[in-house]
Amino acid sequence: MTTDHPSTPRTASRRTVLTAFAAAATAGTPLLAQLGSATPAHAATAAAAADVEYASNTVLYRELAGQEGTTFSRRFRRHEQFDTSMTAVAPFRRTAILALHGGGIEIGTSELCLGIAGYSPGDAAGAPILPTVHDYWMFEGLLSAGNKDLHVTSKNCDDHVALATAASHLNVLSLHGCTFDQLRLPAGSYPSAGDRRVAVVGGLNKAFRTALVTELNAAGFPAIDSLAPAWASLLSEYNGDHTNNPCNRTMLGMGAQLELTTELRKSLFTDPDSRGGRAATWDKNGEFVKFRDACRRAIETVEAGQPLL
């Protein structure tokens, strides 16, 4: 989930808080019992502390030093390109795909990042499966449980590879996950049939948002423009409009992001509930490919209007 407008500033890391709680628990009674017997003020402090997250990727990397590859991972691909001809015009990659909260943090976003970029989510070797490929970057939680503790709010992302990737492209499509209930859509408003599969389209590139909404709806995935007048006030926490959001830190200063409900993300896989299950079943029911290709068509539409610089 992207929250570009958090209600309170968060400066400490969740890991610091959890470590402190663990230390307290070893001092005597179980931690839950300690919290249960705490005064109201102490209980409120503990509840607030449990909601603290890492202030940036830099803080997370520092506090989890030595745990990359076990607690979390970073995967990226920047495709080699060069132009040695004085007469021919070489193509260049205009769009990058990001998944800031992949792995077990917001399930399905890593697989979508790879798929939209032109790769198989089930191929560890990473061979391309589509003729056109895009650069990508993703941060993934690898824990068996508790991956949400690794969340860094999008506008606080300062991973230098992620930001360099965004800054060197005209467009970024950033993939995120949320729950249907978090959106707090008015009852019966959308989708009208009660379908909880919803794609909230955000980012500052209006043309990109329009293309995504058009293609996703045509492919059977309910999608809404979070910055359209009808939704702007309701979905302000999910609209990706912050200028520090990596989706907008492109060469053009604007991009797009997708907030995808749990139901939508799970519908793309036959077995969505584990990393191995998603890797093995992304191409089984056809929904993943339909969603992937809708996003890629939207990218093609946007790129067609962007001449070589």
Side-chain angles (χ1 to χ4, degrees):
M1 178 183 72
T2 296
T3 304
D4 284 343
H5 310 283
S7 57
T8 55
R10 294 170 173 174
T11 56
S13 80
R14 190 185 292 265
R15 179 171 177 266
T16 300
V17 173
L18 295 177
T19 301
F21 280 2
T26 60
T29 57
L31 178 57
L32 291 178
Q34 294 180 46
L35 294 179
S37 62
T39 65
H42 289 158
T45 300
D51 194 40
V52 173
E53 68 173 35
Y54 291 98
S56 66
N57 290 73
T58 296
V59 172
L60 184 150
Y61 300 153
R62 182 172 64 242
E63 296 199 16
L64 298 181
Q67 297 185 46
E68 184 165 5
T70 54
T71 298
F72 70 92
S73 71
R74 289 176 283 181
R75 287 193 280 169
F76 65 91
R77 179 165 296 197
R78 303 293 300 274
H79 296 86
E80 182 182 16
Q81 292 183 281
F82 52 88
D83 183 354
T84 59
S85 171
M86 290 185 290
T87 56
V89 178
F92 69 100
R93 304 196 187 282
R94 310 180 197 192
T95 303
I97 317 300
L98 305 182
L100 306 184
H101 309 132
I105 305 172
E106 293 167 1
I107 65 166
T109 57
S110 292
E111 291 81 8
L112 281 171
C113 181
L114 290 168
I116 297 169
Y119 294 87
S120 166
D123 181 10
I129 59 173
L130 296 174
T132 301
V133 292
H134 301 284
D135 292 351
Y136 64 81
W137 182 93
M138 66 181 82
F139 175 91
E140 300 174 279
L142 302 181
L143 299 171
S144 58
N147 283 289
K148 288 183 174 22
D149 295 341
L150 302 171
H151 186 279
V152 175
T153 299
S154 294
K155 71 182 183 65
N156 294 334
C157 175
D158 62 352
D159 182 283
H160 73 282
V161 179
L163 297 186
T165 300
S168 62
H169 289 76
L170 298 178
N171 314 299
V172 158
L173 177 58
S174 187
L175 302 159
H176 298 270
C178 64
T179 68
F180 181 85
D181 292 335
Q182 283 174 324
L183 299 177
R184 291 177 292 190
L185 298 173
S189 65
Y190 192 88
S192 58
D195 190 346
R196 292 170 66 93
R197 299 176 308 138
V198 178
V200 175
V201 184
L204 294 177
N205 189 326
K206 183 178 180 180
F208 205 167
R209 294 199 315 271
T210 299
L212 285 164
V213 169
T214 299
E215 294 293 348
L216 287 171
N217 276 309
F221 301 100
I224 50 179
D225 184 343
S226 61
L227 288 165
W231 301 105
S233 61
L234 184 64
L235 297 172
S236 61
E237 291 190 9
Y238 303 92
N239 65 15
D241 70 342
H242 200 289
T243 55
N244 281 346
N245 186 318
C247 80
N248 296 319
R249 299 186 68 166
T250 65
M251 294 171 66
L252 301 177
M254 58 184 182
Q257 76 168 29
L258 294 175
E259 285 278 4
L260 309 174
T261 61
T262 305
E263 290 82 2
L264 192 158
R265 285 175 283 130
K266 284 192 171 185
S267 75
L268 305 180
F269 309 90
T270 303
D271 178 7
D273 294 326
S274 69
R275 178 186 298 272
R278 294 190 296 274
T281 66
W282 67 270
D283 62 344
K284 301 300 183 186
N285 66 8
E287 293 299 294
F288 184 98
V289 171
K290 283 167 54 181
F291 191 96
R292 177 199 71 185
D293 291 351
C295 292
R296 286 175 63 89
R297 285 193 298 271
I299 291 171
E300 291 173 2
T301 297
V302 172
E303 290 186 347
Q306 297 172 329
L308 290 171
L309 299 177

